[in-house]
Amino acid sequence: MASVIAPANSSPVEDAEAIRKAVHGWGTDEKKIISIIGHRNAVQRKLIRQTYEEIYQENLIKRFESELHGNFEKAMFRWILDPLDRDAVLANVALKQSNPDYHVIVELSCIYSPEELLAIKRAYQARYQHCLEEDLASHISGDLGKACSFWLQFLVALVGVYRYDGAEIDTRLAKTEADVLHNAIKDKNHEEITRIHLVNDPADHYLAAVCTAIRCINDPKKYYEELLQNALHNHGVDEDVLTRVIVTRAEKDLKDIMELYYRRYSITLDHEVAKETSGDYKAFLLTLMGKHD
């Protein structure tokens, strides 16, 4: 269930006009922007972008980039993009960091449906003129030796293989795979372990990626709840993770994640976010969570 509250009868023309006023004049009216964009679903946001450009001959995203700043600007940019394009951007940003965040790639591969992942890969290709698998391979570098090869095989396998997502289970195949996996671990056959998406390798990055994959597949909401807890309390606030989870899950299962967070820590997630963030960034995140500053 989505946390964002979107009116069914909103007018993209009226919204575009109001946003135009908010970004022109003596100063930017961030509260007005939040009150509009923060309460529009993906279809409505797309109509606003298109209408704004048609009326004013100006790209709304670029206007926001010039008027907004810091974590607020980054969160707004993520939110206003089409969801598939946004996920493509998140994947690209994760790979281009000096210390690439491969957890993002694992999330996209293991939590999203095979059809969603395929659509994201198409959006990635259209936006960057490269396929995700190629960029993934090119950005894995460093003196990781053989472990790097195993890690690359695992990540590319996650992204490149069409994962079965149906309800039927072939118990005979599952038993066969389990036997192969057992023997692979015993014999340290990394190729077979990678193929079945489990691992017994001492390389930290490799092991972390596989553990993330298992957690994502086993219980995505619990994974996100733990991710948020770490983002808020692990040696300072990790705004990138906080933004990514809230923005990408706001129209999906953020409400369920918030309820899970409360049951586990006996404190509401919006209270934690309000305590650890500030300004327009704080107000925008709370809006996406269905709360108010």
Side-chain angles (χ1 to χ4, degrees), residues 84-222:
L84 293 175
D85 204 27
R86 173 179 65 213
D87 289 327
V89 169
L90 287 171
N92 184 261
V93 170
L95 292 177
K96 289 173 62 178
Q97 294 177 10
S98 57
N99 184 23
D101 186 356
Y102 296 106
H103 290 80
V104 176
I105 306 301
V106 176
E107 290 171 23
L108 293 175
S109 303
C110 297
I111 295 178
Y112 287 60
S113 72
E115 290 75 19
E116 287 174 322
L117 177 58
L118 184 59
I120 291 168
K121 289 163 63 175
R122 287 171 177 161
Y124 191 100
Q125 175 82 39
R127 188 178 184 91
Y128 299 108
Q129 305 302 307
H130 298 97
C131 76
L132 179 55
E133 292 93 327
E134 289 174 346
D135 281 359
L136 179 59
S138 67
H139 282 87
I140 294 181
S141 59
D143 189 20
L144 294 178
K146 194 175 183 180
C148 180
S149 175
F150 297 146
W151 189 22
L152 173 59
Q153 290 177 41
F154 178 74
L155 291 171
V156 173
L158 283 181
V159 173
V161 176
Y162 187 86
R163 175 171 49 87
Y164 173 71
D165 197 37
E168 296 182 3
I169 299 175
D170 187 335
T171 55
R172 181 178 298 180
L173 177 60
K175 173 66 165 60
T176 300
E177 297 280 55
D179 290 340
V180 172
L181 177 61
H182 173 76
N183 293 328
I185 292 175
K186 184 172 64 175
D187 300 334
K188 296 184 179 179
N189 186 332
H190 296 285
E191 291 184 2
E192 288 299 322
I193 296 172
T194 298
R195 186 177 67 82
I196 304 174
H197 294 173
L198 288 173
V199 67
N200 182 28
D201 187 272
D204 290 344
H205 294 292
Y206 189 14
L207 183 58
V210 177
C211 288
T212 298
I214 294 171
R215 290 165 59 207
C216 288
I217 293 170
N218 184 54
D219 193 336
K221 294 174 186 176
K222 182 179 179 182

Side-chain angles (χ1 to χ4, degrees), residues 216-231:
C216 288
I217 293 170
N218 184 54
D219 193 336
K221 294 174 186 176
K222 182 179 179 182
Y223 166 78
Y224 281 124
E225 169 257 304
E226 293 174 347
L227 202 62
L228 287 168
Q229 167 69 5
N230 289 332

